[in-house]
Amino acid sequence: MADQVFWKNKKVFVTGHTGFKGSWLCLWLTSMGAEVSGYSLAPNTSPSLYELCNINSLMKESVIGDIRDGERLKLALQSSRAEIVFHLAAQPLVRESYNIPAETYATNVMGTVNILEAVRSCDTVTSVINVTTDKCYENKEWVWGYRETEPLGGHDPYSSSKACSELVTSAYRNSFFNCMPNGRKVYLASARAGNVIGGGDWAADRLIPDCITSLLDEESIKIRNPFSIRPWQHVLEPLSGYLLLAEKLYQDGEAYADAWNFGPQDVDAKPVEWIVKKLCAKWGATADYVVDPNPQVHEAKYLKLDCSKAVSELGWSARWNLETALDKIVEWNKEYEQHSSIIDVCYRQIEEYSLAMR
């Protein structure tokens, strides 16, 4: 679990800090006393967790910029004097990648190149985590989890671009960061998380946001791929892994500069329809769903992660099972519906997660 003493006064740079995961990460980091700077496009949904929690006011510096603008990114990183970098900026949607493949590759591949080039020019950085996805693996639709040594691939532009981002990470680690001038050391890891869910996600074409939007509007949920199985996990699960990995990189980098999976236990890899039924039951009597009969673009039907490496070598493990994750999502959105203080809700859930034992 994240060490509050370690993070106090640490200078941290987060790309993609205005997004769903980035916002939760900034809330957690600033709650522990870290000095956080960020670089990202403006929030691409309204409402957004970033704006609801006024995260800008919590940060040392927030730069609204495009990850494809390498020079501006470099200046922002140098200005932050960051020691630790979390790279989350991305085009994160499978279905959208079919509509904008070139932009997806430019953002997810060259964006990775740009942040790693910026790190090379910033002499304060010692530790970097590139956040990719479970979809970076060549999906064979098999029933066991993918390990970090499995072949990379991707049927769709999003998955392929994230596999490319992993290859860029490995190349920079071996070509530059393992042999930097003047004896400087930069330890670079990648983190591959499962399907992340939680309060504050309004992205289009994602299961939980689509469900919540329909529930709040008192409309039937429409689901596209009811039998597709994913490693669902609350957003705080992988974030706890990223924080722990960053601590290890900072303290004993060489042993941890590698690829890492962060996902739920096997029992929490469930079909889409199972998730929707549970969510409807937890929401209340007015909730229901229908299956969209229209043809859909290709998405993997079966995907699981093997997280044995993170469990055994980092001492990390998931704390909230899927039932609890769905409870927290319903709780969060009921509070939002009642116009509660969202930042207080987030802080409370972070505290509850930190105290939880599975």
Side-chain angles (χ1 to χ4, degrees):
M1 184 45 58
D3 181 351
Q4 186 162 340
V5 173
F6 171 87
W7 288 103
K8 187 173 178 59
N9 298 322
K10 283 289 186 300
K11 292 181 173 60
V12 183
F13 189 82
V14 180
T15 71
H17 68 289
T18 65
F20 166 57
K21 285 173 74 174
S23 292
W24 274 101
L25 179 59
C26 290
L27 285 172
W28 201 340
L29 284 166
T30 54
S31 74
M32 294 187 292
E35 295 182 13
V36 183
S37 300
Y39 183 96
S40 179
L41 296 174
N44 63 355
T45 64
S46 183
S48 72
L49 184 60
Y50 182 78
E51 292 173 332
L52 283 173
C53 294
N54 195 21
I55 291 173
N56 181 69
S57 68
L58 305 175
M59 301 183 67
K60 176 185 176 185
E61 185 176 18
S62 173
V63 177
I64 300 302
D66 196 315
I67 196 71
R68 293 172 293 179
D69 186 344
E71 189 59 32
R72 189 172 187 207
L73 174 64
K74 185 185 297 184
L75 293 173
L77 179 59
Q78 290 173 342
S79 174
S80 74
R81 305 298 293 168
E83 304 159 88
I84 298 170
V85 173
F86 293 96
H87 176 47
L88 281 74
Q91 192 298 96
L93 302 174
V94 171
R95 291 171 67 86
E96 183 67 2
S97 76
Y98 284 101
N99 298 325
I100 52 168
E103 183 175 332
T104 298
Y105 283 105
T107 301
N108 295 351
V109 183
M110 288 309 300
T112 301
V113 171
N114 287 343
I115 187 61
L116 297 182
E117 281 293 295
V119 167
R120 291 179 67 196
S121 73
C122 184
D123 60 9
T124 59
V125 176
T126 66
S127 310
V128 183
I129 295 178
N130 178 23
V131 175
T132 63
T133 176
D134 56 352
K135 297 173 184 65
C136 68
Y137 293 106
E138 181 184 343
N139 195 318
K140 301 180 185 298
E141 303 282 358
W142 57 31
V143 296
W144 51 86
Y146 292 89
R147 296 167 296 180
E148 290 86 349
T149 53
E150 307 286 357
L152 301 172
H155 181 283
D156 56 88
Y158 168 73
S159 303
S160 170
S161 72
K162 284 299 196 174
C164 292
S165 178
E166 286 281 353
L167 293 173
V168 168
T169 301
S170 178
Y172 266 75
R173 182 190 300 120
N174 294 324
S175 299
F176 304 115
F177 294 156
N178 285 349
C179 51
M180 299 197 68
N182 304 320
R184 180 183 167 212
K185 295 288 186 179
V186 173
Y187 299 110
L188 171 61
S190 62
R192 305 162 180 177
N195 278 50
V196 175
I197 58 179
D201 187 4
W202 282 278
D205 291 327
R206 282 168 57 88
L207 178 63
I208 297 300
D210 289 350
C211 289
I212 294 300
T213 297
S214 296
L215 292 169
L216 290 172
D217 292 342
E218 298 186 353
E219 297 175 350
S220 294
I221 297 167
K222 185 179 287 188
I223 58 175
R224 296 185 298 268
N225 300 297
F227 306 114
S228 293
I229 294 174
R230 297 286 186 273
W232 311 97
Q233 59 184 334
H234 193 275
V235 62
L236 296 178
E237 301 283 14
L239 293 186
S240 72
Y242 306 164
L243 292 169
L244 180 58
L245 176 56
E247 292 172 25
K248 298 287 190 181
L249 282 174
Y250 189 92
Q251 294 166 337
D252 189 15
E254 192 167 352
Y256 300 97
D258 204 350
W260 300 86
N261 286 340
F262 297 102
Q265 294 187 8
D266 281 356
V267 295
D268 286 332
K270 297 290 188 184
V272 165
E273 191 167 21
W274 185 98
I275 296 287
V276 176
K277 282 182 177 179
K278 284 285 185 180
L279 198 58
C280 286
K282 293 174 185 297
W283 190 267
T286 61
D288 66 351
Y289 72 94
V290 296
V291 177
D292 186 347
N294 295 314
Q296 305 296 327
V297 298
H298 176 273
E299 292 190 47
K301 291 181 172 59
Y302 203 94
L303 182 59
K304 292 170 66 177
L305 291 175
D306 183 331
C307 302
S308 303
K309 180 180 170 185
V311 172
S312 63
E313 297 184 28
L314 294 177
W316 175 87
S317 63
R319 294 196 167 202
W320 281 349
N321 61 27
L322 187 50
E323 287 272 3
T324 302
L326 293 174
D327 285 338
K328 297 301 179 184
I329 290 170
V330 170
E331 172 191 288
W332 194 100
N333 282 283
K334 293 286 189 180
E335 296 267 18
Y336 169 73
E337 192 177 30
Q338 294 164 15
H339 306 290
S340 301
S341 168
I342 290 303
I343 193 169
D344 289 343
V345 176
C346 292
Y347 282 149
R348 185 176 72 239
Q349 290 196 347
I350 290 170
E351 179 66 18
E352 289 168 350
Y353 179 82
S354 299
L355 296 174
M357 295 300 292
R358 196 176 177 95

